Amino acid sequence: MGEERWCLVVSGQEAEERRRRLLEAGLLDRRYRPRQEGGTVLLPLTDEFPGAVRREFEAVPERPNLPRHEIVGGIAIMQENDPAGAGRVLTSRPSLHTVLFPETPVEGEYRTRRFAVLAGVPATRTRVTEYGLRFDVDLSLAYFSARLSTERQRILAAMEKGERVLDMFAGVGPFAITLARKADLVVAVDINPAAVHLLVGNITLNRMNNVVPVLADAGHLPRYGFRPFDRVVMNLPMAAPRYLPEAAALCRDGGTIHLYALQEREGEHLPLIRGVTRGEVLERRVRTYSPGKWHAVYDITLER
């Protein structure tokens, strides 16, 4: 079948999170394909590891040297304006239909970017499949990050059934619709009309009847008279911290706020958090954003 390697045997539910952690630690051997064995997933390791066992794996076929890019559904987003490299990316992945280059950073009230088409079909719209859910996305109209898929699953795993959830910056609905699998109610808010239009379509696409889309400025939400929520998601990394007082006003005592923020030092937003709660705060690094700056999440237990 292949070559025998050390591997870690994990359940299917935890496979993606464990794969990511091994990758970050440099312990995942990317030369070999992970594989399923019964209800478990076998993750090949670069070396022996506590709890590791020996199994056979197939080697990953060598791929051409491709420029760095991010995959969103059928679209690849390049980091460099490199049409020749875009052509190689397009031909290397049959599932792709378009390769884009962002001409602007994420900007403005609606968090959008302008793109140039480097290869393939001139389009910014695509469908993303994530853990059995489907999301229609238009990258020119609403922000979407596939890199937060494991974060969405992490929060879903931490939830109790029947929670009331508020997604303050919902975009096209990846957090809201994912968490609706356990929630009693999810109120999904965004200020961008195009994002809310896509969100409504994605609610229908995934047959969710417990997600309520709201077109509104998150800063105005406390005046709408909502009953306190058990969990509040704040995924607006460049601006979410300034909305923390509103999030605290909307969250029940003992509830949880997930604050996503960009920062340049550990605990950068703790003073602001301590202004609204005495509760437990857990800080995690999600991913690198730029040199010296990273995307962090603070899991906050609200205690007034």
Side-chain angles (χ1 to χ4, degrees):
M1 176 180 175
E3 184 177 345
E4 193 174 83
R5 308 291 303 172
W6 287 108
C7 71
L8 205 58
V9 182
V10 300
S11 69
Q13 287 186 326
E14 64 176 337
E16 180 57 28
E17 176 66 15
R18 296 296 293 274
R19 186 201 68 82
R20 184 181 65 81
R21 290 183 182 177
L22 291 170
L23 186 61
E24 290 175 350
L27 294 171
L28 184 72
D29 195 335
R30 301 176 70 180
R31 298 172 300 170
Y32 299 89
R33 296 184 186 277
R35 65 181 182 87
Q36 289 187 319
E37 189 174 89
T40 63
V41 176
L42 277 54
L43 301 173
L45 303 173
T46 56
D47 204 348
E48 187 176 2
F49 187 85
V53 297
R54 301 284 288 186
R55 292 289 191 277
E56 288 189 341
F57 289 88
E58 291 183 355
V60 175
E62 288 189 13
R63 285 187 172 179
N65 186 23
L66 299 177
R68 294 179 65 187
H69 61 280
E70 175 185 355
I71 301 294
V72 179
I75 294 176
I77 304 172
M78 297 269 291
Q79 296 190 1
E80 303 291 338
N81 190 348
D82 177 7
R88 296 199 306 275
V89 170
L90 188 66
T91 57
S92 73
R93 299 180 184 273
S95 61
L96 294 178
H97 56 75
T98 304
V99 182
L100 302 176
F101 171 70
E103 296 182 305
T104 66
V106 177
E107 60 186 4
E109 188 176 34
Y110 295 163
R111 297 187 296 160
T112 56
R113 292 187 285 183
R114 290 197 308 273
F115 292 92
V117 179
L118 298 185
V121 178
T124 55
R125 184 165 177 140
T126 187
R127 178 167 289 181
V128 177
T129 301
E130 183 179 295
Y131 290 93
L133 297 173
R134 295 168 294 166
F135 303 101
D136 283 335
V137 175
D138 191 322
L139 296 170
S140 68
L141 298 178
Y143 181 78
F144 180 88
S145 176
R147 296 178 181 179
L148 293 180
S149 61
T150 55
E151 274 298 299
R152 294 187 264 276
Q153 294 301 310
R154 182 183 71 88
I155 294 177
L156 179 65
M159 285 178 59
E160 300 290 338
K161 284 190 177 294
E163 289 189 11
R164 287 170 44 84
V165 177
L166 171 64
D167 186 350
M168 292 181 72
F169 312 103
V172 304
F175 271 98
I177 292 170
T178 297
L179 303 187
R181 286 175 153 173
K182 279 189 176 180
D184 179 60
L185 171 71
V186 180
V187 175
V189 181
D190 206 279
I191 197 173
N192 179 352
V196 174
H197 179 76
L198 288 161
L199 166 63
V200 171
N202 288 332
I203 292 169
T204 302
L205 182 64
N206 292 282
R207 299 180 180 180
M208 295 295 179
N209 59 11
N210 58 340
V211 181
V212 178
V214 178
L215 176 63
D217 183 332
H220 298 161
L221 291 176
R223 71 182 68 167
Y224 290 178
F226 289 112
R227 185 157 60 87
F229 292 90
D230 301 298
R231 191 174 303 269
V232 179
V233 178
M234 306 179 69
N235 180 33
L236 187 67
M238 294 181 180
R242 71 170 181 255
Y243 291 92
L244 190 56
E246 287 80 8
L250 291 157
C251 187
R252 69 169 174 82
D253 201 34
T256 303
I257 299 172
H258 303 282
L259 171 65
Y260 291 86
L262 298 182
Q263 61 185 33
E264 297 178 351
R265 64 181 187 277
E266 299 288 344
E268 182 173 331
H269 299 288
L270 277 175
L272 179 67
I273 293 168
R274 284 302 173 213
V276 300
T277 180
R278 300 178 291 107
E280 182 181 19
V281 179
L282 299 176
E283 178 186 353
R284 296 177 61 252
R285 186 179 295 219
V286 177
R287 64 185 179 95
T288 299
Y289 180 78
S290 62
K293 184 177 287 189
W294 63 91
H295 193 174
V297 58
Y298 292 84
D299 296 331
I300 304 162
T301 301
L302 186 67
E303 290 184 14
R304 293 183 173 85

